[in-house]
Every structure is written in structure tokens, then in C-alpha cells.
Amino acid sequence: MAKLPVQFRLNGSDRATFVDPASNLLDTLRRGLGDFGPKYGCGQGTCGVCTVLVDGEPQLACLTLAVSCEGRQIETTSGMADGPNLHPLQGAFMDHFAAQCGFCTPGMLTAARALLAKNPQPSRDEVVEAISGNICRCTGYEPIIAAILAAANAPGARRA
Amino acid sequence: MATMEMRKDLFADERDDNLNVIGKGVQRQDMPGHVTARTRFFDDHAFDGMLHLKVVRSPHHHARIRSIDISAAERAPGVRRVLRGADVPVNKNTLLSLINFGKDDEPSLAVSKVSYKGEPVVAILADSEAQAQAACKLVRIDYDLLPAVFDVEETLKAGAPVVNETYPGNYFEYHERFDHQKLRFGDVERGFSGADIVMEHRYQMSPIEHAPTETNGSIAAPEQNGRYVVHSCAQGLFFALGTTAKIVNVESNQLHFIGGTVGGGFGGKVDTLTEPLAVLGAMLTGRPVRFVLDREEEMLYGSPRGAERIYIKDGLMRDGRIVARHIRSYFDAGAYTRLSSYAAIKCTAHVPGPYWIPNVTSDIYVAYTNRCPSTAMRGFGVTAVDFALEVQMDRLAEAANMDPMELRILNAYRDGDMKPHRRAAKNTALVECVQVAAEKANWPLSEQAKRASSLIGGGVGERAQIPATQLDARGQIGRPDTRSGPVTQVLPAGTSRIAPSKQPVMEGARDGRAAPTQVPRYEPPRPAAPPAPPPYQPAPPPSYQPAGSHPAPPAYQPPPAPPAPPPSAAPAQTQHGAVRFSSVFGTRRR
């Protein structure tokens, strides 16, 4: 099958690759471009571990066709820190022990990042709603909610 | 409150007693990796030229394989290799062969029959996952359907279909002697006849899938030194290493396992489901091979916590004392043993719950059914029986017209009480746990219950004694119809150990004994050369016997002779000189 070129900005860098027309964004990021931040959990859009930002909107990379991302801004957890300086959400996740096995963490951080970019002072209910598409099978939701609420009050949290 | 006995004399010369972090926040070393997405799980590794492995699974619960046609799949686009059972060097294994326990009973790829829906039969290695999946659909397998059995008690009846030919009675064989794990303490029948109330209830638990967010999988790749690197999701990395070395028949020092970072396990990543075929694929193709279960496979064919059916029969006095308890439990292993044999041992060690009862017996069966094999999950063999026991305690309280908290305090172990396993209870704390729980729940307790203590009243009189114990030959393998046999012998009071019988009880008992896994011999390094593919071994002839031809009751039939492993009467000496893990042998650790 003929491959198609696709070009987008990934975590601030211009990247280009060739993909099968049916390739999803998750495989393209992981296998094509080597960004292993987004994970494979279900391939059906139910677990949220592949969540990435496409033009600032949280999207499930396993259900997003790679070719539909032409010319867009893709952001993943791999590009969340500013050099050695962690994003306030990352620091809050560390401080609140908001990860057990760590597999859902990139998707959780991305969902939280999208929330805080739009709603810098979310209520607890709004936080719960924002991560409702992300499964933590270790069931560590409470520390995650606490971390997001704490980050919302930290300086610099709006930096998307 | 009882004070805990602290065993600071253990390893005293290895302790510096600077354990002072409780109550302090100490950052985990893996947390920075998790929040920056730099943590590398097994699938987060890139290899050039990596192949993707997918397996063709049985669509049937139980069927004989008449023929397998892989010719169309081999010609499919992107397909590099197709594997069948005959390609697997040691195509029969049991996980606990690592501790030399049980018989090899499970193939990596089914040869003559399939025993559960989803059992792998053929493996396809292709350039892409989509190509491997497409080629899977081209494999033609002819099946003769066999009757299937799904119920743990039905499967133990005479004439039930034989699920697992290594264990033709559909039960795991303990100590080459019994069809179940036995516990005998005192005389339960006398206890029941002297009780005011006798009550029996049945409890049924469902299988539970661990559903880790990261599915089971591994990536194996040739290294430049003749070894194979394996990125694995395994919860027990050396368990997976030993199992893989045995199945692909290489020295374990030829395998370089990297893991320990697990995207959720909960017990569901101890079965080494993918590593052997990934390594075999890498050996045969010289390419990196990735074998990952998709979500559907994980949910349907990743082994679950086994279902358990538990019967509890109690003899109760009107004052709330339990005087006899008999437990009969069936652990659903699915089609193969995996870790179920261990679950029944744990279950036996756990009965009769944290209560002193003068007469206790239990019969815990591991039953094979045509279901997905079950495995470890957080307290498997214990949590289910605990649920049953505690529901039973509430029912007993109701029958005795007693407060359920008070009933538990009345019957709880105290320090010094003799357990049915013939060990004195130590560091007991159930009385105090119930007192605290009652206080937190504002649950009124009598003054007597509030004054109770784990340190008071235990280990006195008959509470410290091993009673005269009724023995029987129930469930003795090779002797027909002994499942409900009479008492054969009375063990005198105070006997803590039953001398093993010298008489053989099971002919051909050593046949099919699990081949012990290899211990690396550390030969000098070999010159770097592409490893030779493993020698071709023809598949053993089909050993299926139609279910209908089984006589009732099922007499023991020795399994078909596999390539004979050396008989090993005693636990093998390991390289480090310690005697292997002991509870299943009855030997003591050094």
C-alpha cells in the first residue's frame, strides 16, 4: 500500500514521516517517531493512556488517523517539562504520589493539562470529569485528583 | 492491646536498625520517570526490522486437532515465519517446574488437541501487526469437537471428559498420593454430633480478570554476543527467564531479561505468556520479535483469578463456640495447572480462619475444566475462602442469636493456641482488630468482649494440645471410590508429624514429572556466531482418548510417556546450596 507523507509539529519540533493511510497517530508517534510517552492500552478509545493534545485539545491517539494531523500541533507528556524544569502538574503528581505503576500517568497528565489550560481553577467535580476518560487500574484516583487541584493553585500552572 | 513480638534477633548481624522512615514522605525512585514519560515499559523500545508475532487461537472449548494447514498463511504478504507446536523445543511445561513441583502439562502451541477457547495453536511472524493478523485468518485448522466440562464438581465425576491428559482424573495430584490437599485435626464427626447446631453453606466465587492497563507482552531480540535480550512485562523476571530457557531449550545465561517496570500486574503477569515464543521467533528468524496481547486477548485469554466453590460445615454450641469445622473447596484451574496447585496449598494453610476450633478438616481440590487457565491474583486461594468464612461467621452469629463481633472475639485465636497445622499461634491480634473496628463503627460491645485480649486464655488445656486425629484414605489416587471412604486410622494425641508411607500408592508416579529448569553452568563464552535453530523434534503422537470410553470410576491411567526427564526424588540442590522452597515438599528450609 502506498504510504502518505505527513508533517506536524511534535512538542515544538517539526517532524515528518510516511504512514499507511490507515495508521493511527499512536503507532506513528511510538513506532514512527520514537515518542513512547503515549501508551497502548486498549486500541478502542476506552482507557485514555494514549491521550495527546492536538492543537490543545485532548485526543485519543489510538482513534486518530495520523494523516488527519497534517499541519497540526501535537503535544505529549514527553514534551511537558521545560528542559530540566518540570511542569507544575508533574511536580504536583510527584509530591502527591499520584502514580503507582505509572502506565496511566502520561495520559492523566495530558488530560489534566488540557483542563488547566481552559479552566485554571477547576472544582473537584470538574477535575473528576476531566479525567473520567482515563483508567487507573491501580485505582489511585484520589492522589491524582489531589495533585491536579494542588497544581491549579501553583504559579505557572496555566503554561500549557 | 497485645504487643507485637519483634524478631530483631533474626539477621541481627545484617541489621543496622536505621529503619526510621515510617511516617515520613520519601520520594520513590521511579516517580521522576513516570511523570516525565521517560519510564521505559517493555513495549517502549525501538528495534530496526522488528517482526510482530500473533497467535491463532482455538475457537473451541475442547476439540481434537485433525490437521493444520499453514500453506496459505506462509505465502501471505509480510509473513516471515509460521510456528507450530513441533517447532517449540520443549513444548510442554508447568510453571512450578521451577520448584520441581507438578507435572509438565501445558504446551506453548497445541499439538493434538485444544482444551480451552483461546488456546494458542499456530504463531505467525510478520513485518507488521496487521499482516500477522491477516495471515492468522488464512491458517486452516480442522477440529473434531469434544464434549466440554465447565463445572468444578461435574469434572470430578466419573465419565467426565478428560480436560488435561497429564491429569486424567481432572484433578491435580498432590504428593503423588491424593487427589486434593488434606488437613485433618481431631474428630469432626464427633464434634458435629455433640454440637447444638450444625450448619452447612455453599459459596461460589467468579473468575476475575486482572485487566492491567498495559497488556501482557514482550520483545525479544538477538544481541551481538549470541545472547537474546528480552524486554518483558513479567512480574517475576527470573521466573520468566527460567521458564523461557526451559521451553526454548537454551542455557539461561543466553537470555538477557530486562524488566521490573510493569504497567499493572496484580498477579496476571507471572505466567510467561509471551516470552518463550518471542525468543523462539527471534532465534529462528534472527530478527527482533514483538509479541503483545491486544486488549481483547488480555481480557479473554489472559489468565484470571480462578473461581472457587467452597462448602463450609460447622458445629456450633448455643453459647457461640464453634466445636467442629469441615471445609470442602474446589479451585477452578481451567485447562492447565499454572499456579492453581499452589492456591490450594495456600487455602489449606489458611483454614479454618483466625479461630481456634478443636476439630478441623479440609479437602481442597484443584479441578481442571475447559476454561481459560487461571493463575495468581492478590491473595489467590485465600481471599475467596476468607469471604466464605466470614459470611459463615455472620450466619453462625445469627443462629446462636449472638452479636457477630462478639462471636468473633469469643472464637478468635489467642497466643499459644494450637492450630490444625500443628503450630502454636503467635502474635495473634484478631481480638484487638475487632475491638478497634467496633469502636470506630460505634458498635456496642459487652464489657466482657472489651476486656478480652489475645494474650489471655490461649494455649491452656486442650487449646494447646494436638488431639487424637481421625485419618482416612479419602481421595487416594489409584484406589477407586475412596472419595468418601471411612476412617482408616486414629493418630494418637500429640502426634505432630505423620510418617510418610513407604508403600507406593500410584504406579508410574514419576512419569511425566516436571522437568526441572536449568541452572546456568557458566561455560566460557562462545565465539559470536548465529545460533543454530533448535533441532527439529517430531510431535508426540496424539494421545487422546474419547471421553465415553472412560470406565467409572476413573481409574488412574499413567499419562503418555513424554521425553523422560531424570527422576528426581529429592528437591534438587541449587547452585547457591540452599534447599529449594519447601512447603510443597514438607521439607524444612535450611
Side-chain angles (χ1 to χ4, degrees):
Chain A
M1 203 182 295
K3 301 220 181 229
L4 300 174
V6 60
Q7 186 170 339
F8 47 72
R9 180 160 278 216
L10 174 61
N11 293 326
S13 302
D14 285 328
R15 305 292 297 269
T17 185
F18 290 91
V19 298
D20 288 327
S23 283
N24 63 33
L25 180 60
L26 180 62
D27 279 347
T28 304
L29 291 175
R30 289 176 57 83
R31 298 275 156 228
L33 299 172
D35 182 350
F36 291 111
K39 309 294 182 198
Y40 167 87
C42 69
Q44 332 173 324
T46 56
C47 74
V49 296
C50 66
T51 307
V52 299
L53 298 183
V54 179
D55 290 343
E57 288 291 324
Q59 300 273 345
L60 296 166
C62 74
L63 296 185
T64 304
L65 284 177
V67 288
S68 72
C69 297
E70 176 69 32
R72 293 176 182 256
Q73 301 256 4
I74 313 288
E75 287 161 285
T76 70
T77 312
S78 316
M80 208 168 159
D82 177 14
N85 304 314
L86 295 182
H87 187 283
L89 272 168
Q90 293 173 310
F93 267 57
M94 287 187 68
D95 292 344
H96 288 79
F97 295 88
Q100 286 187 43
C101 79
F103 199 75
C104 74
T105 310
M108 285 284 184
L109 282 165
T110 303
R113 185 182 180 188
L115 169 71
L116 296 194
K118 282 189 184 154
N119 181 358
Q121 296 293 324
S123 68
R124 181 188 157 86
D125 285 351
E126 288 167 331
V127 170
V128 170
E129 176 65 25
I131 62 168
S132 63
N134 295 69
I135 291 175
C136 168
R137 182 59 169 132
C138 309
T139 62
Y141 294 106
E142 284 302 322
I144 294 169
I145 293 165
I148 296 169
L149 287 171
N153 292 314
R158 292 196 66 180
R159 178 167 60 84
Chain B
M1 295 249 166
T3 32
M4 282 287 282
E5 176 193 2
M6 297 297 285
R7 280 302 191 105
K8 291 203 169 186
D9 52 325
L10 292 175
F11 306 107
D13 55 336
E14 295 175 24
R15 307 169 60 107
D16 49 14
D17 277 336
N18 61 349
L19 308 176
N20 55 4
V21 296
I22 289 177
K24 296 177 189 169
V26 177
Q27 190 52 264
R28 278 165 45 185
Q29 53 88 19
D30 55 350
M31 197 62 100
H34 288 346
V35 302
T36 55
R38 286 198 188 110
T39 297
R40 286 287 172 260
F41 295 89
F42 83 87
D43 201 22
D44 299 338
H45 296 90
F47 288 95
D48 199 24
M50 185 167 75
L51 301 181
H52 299 261
L53 189 153
K54 284 279 161 193
V55 290
V56 180
R57 296 179 181 276
S58 162
H60 305 300
H61 298 293
H62 199 193
R64 185 181 192 171
I65 298 174
R66 288 174 58 179
S67 65
I68 302 174
D69 180 2
I70 57 171
S71 53
E74 280 180 319
R75 292 192 304 268
V79 171
R80 301 288 173 167
R81 178 89 197 204
V82 178
L83 302 177
R84 297 172 47 170
D87 298 310
V88 182
V90 179
N91 195 24
K92 219 172 216 190
N93 180 50
T94 191
L95 284 172
L96 290 180
S97 62
L98 288 163
I99 56 169
N100 200 16
F101 185 59
K103 300 181 205 175
D104 289 329
D105 67 341
E106 182 170 6
S108 293
L109 293 172
V111 176
S112 56
K113 76 166 203 170
V114 288
S115 295
Y116 69 96
K117 190 173 173 177
E119 182 164 359
V121 184
V122 170
I124 309 254
L125 295 105
D127 290 337
S128 76
E129 227 170 327
Q131 287 170 325
Q133 270 158 346
C136 281
K137 298 202 174 88
L138 300 175
V139 174
R140 294 276 165 264
I141 305 173
D142 241 3
Y143 292 103
D144 276 338
L145 295 194
L146 297 171
V149 58
F150 303 108
D151 184 274
V152 284
E153 289 181 86
E154 292 300 315
T155 198
L156 296 179
K157 289 183 181 165
V162 175
V163 173
N164 176 336
E165 254 120 58
T166 305
Y167 296 102
N170 287 344
Y171 48 76
F172 183 80
E173 296 163 5
Y174 279 99
H175 310 295
E176 299 165 6
R177 187 175 302 258
F178 288 108
D179 63 8
H180 65 282
Q181 271 284 312
K182 292 165 85 81
L183 180 64
R184 295 291 183 268
F185 188 72
D187 184 346
V188 283
E189 291 309 326
R190 208 184 58 184
F192 290 140
S193 58
D196 293 328
I197 303 165
V198 175
M199 183 188 277
E200 182 171 18
H201 286 287
R202 172 189 189 269
Y203 300 89
Q204 174 71 51
M205 260 51 83
S206 302
I208 302 171
E209 164 57 33
H210 315 76
T213 323
E214 172 202 65
T215 59
N216 267 277
S218 57
I219 300 175
E223 286 187 327
Q224 73 281 12
N225 54 5
R227 304 204 310 169
Y228 294 85
V229 65
V230 184
H231 294 283
S232 165
C233 75
Q235 280 179 258
L237 201 67
F238 286 88
F239 206 93
L241 173 82
T243 299
T244 306
K246 175 181 169 184
I247 292 174
V248 302
N249 198 21
V250 298
E251 295 289 331
S252 56
N253 60 10
Q254 270 186 271
L255 300 176
H256 173 195
F257 267 60
I258 298 175
T261 303
V262 181
F266 321 117
K269 288 176 178 167
V270 297
D271 281 3
T272 320
L273 291 175
T274 61
E275 289 84 350
L277 287 181
V279 170
L280 182 62
M283 288 171 72
L284 295 178
T285 63
R287 304 265 293 265
V289 173
R290 172 177 176 267
F291 179 15
V292 181
L293 303 193
D294 64 27
R295 176 53 54 187
E296 184 183 358
E297 290 176 296
E298 180 71 41
M299 300 304 280
L300 292 177
Y301 315 126
S303 31
R305 175 199 289 277
E308 289 173 64
R309 179 172 306 160
I310 299 160
Y311 294 88
I312 304 177
K313 183 178 178 184
D314 284 335
L316 180 72
M317 305 309 286
R318 295 229 178 269
D319 62 8
R321 284 177 299 125
I322 307 167
V323 292
R325 173 165 279 178
H326 172 62
I327 294 177
R328 183 162 52 100
S329 172
Y330 302 87
F331 196 92
D332 191 346
Y336 299 107
T337 307
R338 298 207 184 161
L339 295 178
S340 296
S341 51
Y342 175 49
I345 292 174
K346 285 170 69 182
C347 185
T348 304
H350 195 67
V351 300
Y355 306 105
W356 182 76
I357 301 172
N359 303 288
V360 175
T361 57
S362 74
D363 297 313
I364 317 286
Y365 296 80
V366 170
Y368 297 100
T369 62
N370 292 109
R371 294 176 181 273
C372 182
S374 51
T375 191
M377 185 177 191
R378 290 186 166 178
F380 67 127
V382 172
T383 38
V385 75
D386 242 349
F387 171 78
L389 285 169
E390 294 309 321
V391 174
Q392 181 87 357
M393 291 302 283
D394 286 347
R395 286 171 156 165
L396 292 178
E398 203 173 314
N401 201 19
M402 256 185 96
D403 179 283
M405 294 269 204
E406 305 251 348
L407 181 89
R408 285 173 170 83
I409 288 177
L410 175 67
N411 287 287
Y413 275 137
R414 268 72 169 172
D415 276 7
D417 284 344
M418 182 55 64
K419 299 195 273 188
H421 317 90
R422 293 160 174 77
R423 296 279 188 279
K426 288 196 287 189
N427 287 332
T428 59
L430 178 63
V431 172
E432 287 72 19
C433 285
V434 175
Q435 287 166 339
V436 170
E439 191 186 331
K440 302 251 181 215
N442 291 320
W443 187 279
L445 284 184
S446 69
E447 283 309 309
Q448 195 188 356
K450 281 184 194 163
R451 281 198 308 272
S453 160
S454 292
L455 297 176
I456 301 170
V460 288
E462 66 166 343
R463 296 185 76 116
Q465 307 301 319
I466 297 172
T469 292
Q470 309 275 319
L471 297 187
D472 57 62
R474 280 174 214 164
Q476 194 154 326
I477 294 168
R479 296 194 182 164
D481 206 22
T482 61
R483 206 162 273 166
S484 56
V487 170
T488 55
Q489 188 188 349
V490 179
L491 207 59
T495 313
S496 62
R497 204 174 167 76
I498 302 171
S501 161
K502 295 268 193 324
Q503 300 207 330
V505 290
M506 201 169 89
E507 284 183 31
R510 298 289 174 189
D511 288 349
R513 188 85 187 253
T517 30
Q518 296 169 331
V519 176
R521 285 197 294 270
Y522 296 108
E523 289 167 349
R526 302 169 190 186
Y536 175 80
Q537 294 183 329
S543 53
Y544 169 75
Q545 295 166 314
S549 73
H550 267 274
Y556 174 76
Q557 294 171 322
S568 46
Q573 287 299 123
T574 53
Q575 213 177 33
H576 48 73
V579 172
R580 288 177 184 225
F581 171 70
S582 57
S583 69
V584 292
F585 298 114
T587 53
R588 296 297 301 269
R589 265 181 274 194
R590 234 177 237 168

